Amino acid sequence: MSKKSVTAAVLGLALAATTALAAGVHPGKESIEKSGYKGPETCEECHPGSAKGFLDTVHWKHASKVTNVEGLNPKEEYGMKNRIYVMCNGNDIVNNLKEIPKSPVTGKSKFSGCNTCHPGNHLSDVGSTGAAAEAAVDCLVCHSTDYDFRQRKPFKNEKGEVVMGQDRSAKAALAIGKPTVKNCMVCHEAAGGGVIVKRGFTFTKDTDAHAAKGMVCVDCHKAKNHKMPTGHDPNNWANDGLFVSCSDTSCHGVKPHKDADLNRHCAKIACQTCHIPRTGGAFAKDFTVWEQTPDKFYEPTTLKKEANETTPVYAWYNGTVKNTPHFIGPKGSKKDGKSKITPFKIFQGKAYYNKQTGELLSMDFAQPMSDGDTRAGVLSAAKTLGLKNPEKIAKEAVPGWQTIYFGSNHLVTKTKALYCANCHAPNGVLNFKDLGYSDKEILKLTSPELFMEKLAQKQKEDW
Amino acid sequence: MKKAVSVMVLVAVAALTIFCFGSIASAGEEVKMVGVITKIEIAGKDAKTATATLKDNKTEQLVVITVEDDLTLDKFKDHRIVEGDEIRCKYEVIDGKNVSKLFRKTAGC
């Protein structure tokens, strides 16, 4: 971090602390009022290097080196740019933003592509570098509270190239501040193919204890030079090398409770297990059979639930990930000394596999979206990726299922947190047997002996 | 024990609306529809309510929906939701108005 950006950060903090929400008092306002907004170069006058720095983040590259997932090449970068899995059976490369073939029913086309969730303009796309890329960063999508989303749409320019629009008005640039929840949700809310599809992710005062306190995403995901800290969701690999956890000393530490019994559990049980008792979003998709929607386009058959409707599955997790064509999920065990019991949403997706190699194949959505022909999508993706004999691969491709474990790290509750009897009663939420406890241990762990006295005392106090 | 009991009840009864929306609408009165927005009417930046006219995909009828939740209002104001968008909507008839309980853009993968 440069000295300048350190002072910047300090000043920014002071600002945020003294004025409720710094929006509107951005010191650059006057200058922007005078000379307008010309893109990042305007910001660079006072925040030099921010655009260049941004190009080296997951948000620009949609990829990074990944060290905790098995079977990967440590020299390669992985992410939405190039992964193949079954939440979205493609990636930025095979599903590059384009106009899909016209619907045979309506004669209409539309734009579709994964890289719409990228703060570039598509001409400077995921992972691009150089001066043009620096000039293309959409600073305002994350920093403006007055962004006109009618501008943020794909269109074709004079040369016939597909461009992702941005709001570059002075009006939007005059409403600069630290990113709000809404700024982040521009892309995060509809990840996975629609609102609350990927992970039942709402962040409102009704659904999250931190939102109820007025906290925003970046209060926890404190970015440094636009590198954003993340966690170890087995499904979401790319990271900027920074990590955030509930027990960081700047947050809650490892002994957050007055009650020593609860603190003792933190050695073996992740905070999320007790504090995020529900999850949601899609739990199954079929990419081999697409459904026609009322507008006569097609989309993958999807079963979903609301934000808080799904009971999680609990597994030991040590932060490393098993990764096979049919399974992506947590590794860990009761015995390794590093794992904690952690909640997950299980998602299962059906897609095509390569008959020869058993590998999961990816799909270009353009053709299936237009007429439901999913094998045509496999063919197009196989060609884009330069696989040998793409026709043969697509023709012989075999449908199969992949199971993915999704981390469950938001929707935090205090009042509904799991308490003694939620786990230690015989009908408790944990399946002690699956978690590797012996019959003898289970007998003990499901006896009121463990909590009788405590809960009786509490009952007395409560009444 | 009060807390433990309520926690247990919640866990047992599982997928309850209290958990998701905090709304106490009884499911029976809710109407579900998918339709395209033909008109959005909202009175300025500070408006606390708006109406959106949806053309029901099944019946082709125009249905006027009253929207009161902040998140959706905000999406009208900054044009994340605009005329022409297809919406999955759940509403409840209250005092003759179709009050939205869920108002979401449909979207593919």
Side-chain angles (χ1 to χ4, degrees):
Chain A
M1 221 195 210
S2 70
K3 213 160 118 199
K4 166 133 204 166
S5 60
V6 171
T7 26
V10 171
L11 258 166
L13 267 180
L15 259 180
T18 45
T19 48
L21 240 177
V25 297
H26 173 233
K29 196 171 175 190
E30 220 170 289
S31 152
I32 297 170
E33 250 162 6
K34 229 180 277 154
S35 8
Y37 179 59
K38 300 186 213 64
E41 64 175 274
T42 302
C43 318
E44 294 265 331
E45 275 172 33
C46 304
H47 305 291
S50 45
K52 188 158 198 269
F54 192 86
L55 301 189
D56 193 29
T57 66
V58 166
H59 276 88
W60 188 259
K61 298 194 297 177
H62 285 186
S64 79
K65 289 191 174 139
V66 177
T67 53
N68 65 325
V69 181
E70 72 181 17
L72 301 185
N73 181 341
K75 291 194 191 111
E76 296 274 325
E77 298 203 330
Y78 298 86
M80 188 160 129
K81 179 181 174 183
N82 58 0
R83 274 186 64 189
I84 299 173
Y85 74 161
V86 293
M87 170 49 85
C88 295
N89 183 220
N91 51 49
D92 292 327
I93 295 172
V94 302
N95 277 306
N96 183 19
L97 177 61
K98 56 184 167 282
E99 244 177 340
I100 68 167
K102 292 196 174 82
S103 157
V105 185
T106 62
K108 284 191 194 146
S109 176
K110 64 174 177 181
F111 290 100
S112 170
C114 310
N115 40 355
T116 48
C117 283
H118 182 254
N121 63 3
H122 194 239
L123 301 174
S124 288
D125 196 7
V126 172
S128 57
T129 54
E134 283 175 38
V137 182
D138 190 351
C139 310
L140 305 187
V141 73
C142 286
H143 285 296
S144 174
T145 49
D146 195 7
Y147 195 99
D148 181 346
F149 285 90
R150 281 173 297 190
Q151 308 297 323
R152 210 182 125 72
K153 291 258 155 68
F155 64 93
K156 268 196 180 156
N157 67 10
E158 328 71 62
K159 291 190 214 147
E161 297 161 320
V162 177
V163 182
M164 187 69 193
Q166 301 181 0
D167 181 358
R168 290 203 162 189
S169 64
K171 182 166 162 280
L174 289 172
I176 292 293
K178 149 175 151 173
T180 61
V181 169
K182 185 171 111 178
N183 290 118
C184 306
M185 283 303 202
V186 168
C187 302
H188 282 268
E189 179 183 62
V195 180
I196 313 200
V197 167
K198 183 168 253 175
R199 40 175 94 256
F201 191 6
T202 58
F203 192 74
T204 62
K205 59 181 181 1
D206 302 328
T207 55
D208 190 286
H210 297 94
K213 295 243 157 152
M215 286 174 70
V216 299
C217 313
V218 297
D219 287 331
C220 299
H221 296 277
K222 289 195 174 89
K224 290 200 184 74
N225 296 326
H226 288 111
K227 294 192 186 302
M228 287 195 210
T230 185
H232 294 93
D233 174 3
N235 134 82
N236 197 63
W237 299 350
N239 63 78
D240 286 318
L242 301 174
F243 296 91
V244 56
S245 121
C246 324
S247 48
D248 288 349
T249 40
S250 59
C251 299
H252 295 293
V254 287
K255 287 185 190 155
H257 312 95
K258 278 175 233 116
D259 182 340
D261 282 338
L262 289 177
N263 285 342
R264 211 163 358 93
H265 280 76
C266 294
K268 293 281 178 192
I269 299 175
C271 316
Q272 288 89 331
T273 298
C274 292
H275 285 285
I276 309 180
R278 282 286 174 279
T279 170
F283 60 95
K285 280 192 192 179
D286 186 347
F287 284 94
T288 66
V289 178
W290 288 39
E291 293 180 308
Q292 197 175 44
T293 52
D295 60 10
K296 307 299 174 200
F297 290 121
Y298 290 76
E299 66 178 53
T301 314
T302 303
L303 302 178
K304 47 190 165 192
K305 295 221 180 192
E306 281 305 325
N308 255 324
E309 285 186 352
T310 310
T311 315
V313 168
Y314 300 95
W316 292 102
Y317 186 36
N318 62 17
T320 63
V321 177
K322 185 170 153 101
N323 172 36
T324 74
H326 292 281
F327 182 88
I328 300 172
K331 290 210 282 193
S333 79
K334 181 168 174 282
K335 294 193 198 81
D336 69 7
K338 286 179 279 185
S339 299
K340 291 189 183 181
I341 295 173
T342 310
F344 298 97
K345 172 178 91 168
I346 290 193
F347 168 84
Q348 293 172 296
K350 189 178 188 184
Y352 291 106
Y353 286 82
N354 187 325
K355 193 180 171 200
Q356 304 298 318
T357 64
E359 298 285 311
L360 179 62
L361 294 163
S362 61
M363 192 179 284
D364 174 0
F365 293 170
Q367 194 68 46
M369 208 171 261
S370 167
D371 64 4
D373 185 349
T374 54
R375 279 184 198 268
V378 172
L379 174 60
S380 168
K383 282 182 177 161
T384 303
L385 295 176
L387 302 187
K388 254 195 222 152
N389 288 325
E391 279 85 7
K392 185 165 183 275
I393 287 177
K395 194 155 159 262
E396 294 178 349
V398 198
W401 290 91
Q402 183 183 53
T403 298
I404 308 178
Y405 280 57
F406 278 70
S408 190
N409 295 310
H410 305 95
L411 307 173
V412 173
T413 173
K414 176 184 160 186
T415 51
K416 289 163 191 160
L418 300 184
Y419 205 50
C420 321
N422 294 122
C423 293
H424 290 300
N427 62 344
V429 302
L430 298 182
N431 184 330
F432 287 112
K433 193 157 191 91
D434 286 357
L435 288 167
Y437 289 93
S438 68
D439 289 343
K440 205 171 134 213
E441 286 170 315
I442 294 172
L443 212 57
K444 197 169 166 200
L445 287 169
T446 51
S447 162
E449 191 64 39
L450 292 184
F451 55 79
M452 198 66 200
E453 203 182 324
K454 189 181 184 84
L455 292 193
Q457 182 60 34
K458 229 180 150 49
Q459 186 167 260
K460 232 189 263 167
E461 284 164 17
D462 282 356
W463 286 89
Chain B
M1 192 63 197
K2 205 165 86 200
K3 156 170 257 140
V5 168
S6 61
V7 166
M8 285 212 347
V9 168
L10 259 168
V11 167
V13 188
L16 272 191
T17 38
I18 359 168
F19 237 125
C20 346
F21 294 118
S23 83
I24 12 165
S26 61
E29 303 156 14
E30 265 176 14
V31 187
K32 289 183 191 169
M33 70 175 288
V34 179
V36 173
I37 305 182
T38 60
K39 194 161 74 179
I40 294 175
E41 282 182 285
I42 182 161
K45 267 206 167 292
D46 301 319
K48 290 271 171 266
T49 173
T51 59
T53 308
L54 300 188
K55 188 169 169 193
D56 190 322
N57 279 331
K58 282 202 186 117
T59 64
E60 308 246 305
Q61 300 259 321
L62 293 178
V63 184
V64 179
I65 308 283
T66 301
V67 174
E68 291 169 343
D69 75 286
D70 291 342
L71 285 176
T72 310
L73 286 176
D74 200 38
K75 289 182 184 179
F76 289 168
K77 289 175 193 166
D78 66 18
H79 310 291
R80 267 176 295 168
I81 296 180
V82 292
E83 287 166 16
D85 283 344
E86 191 179 67
I87 300 294
R88 216 179 280 277
C89 176
K90 264 194 223 165
Y91 64 86
E92 201 182 319
V93 184
I94 301 174
D95 298 335
K97 281 195 213 159
N98 303 323
V99 180
S100 155
K101 296 286 152 194
L102 181 148
F103 197 93
R104 263 183 220 156
K105 267 210 275 216
T106 60
C109 200

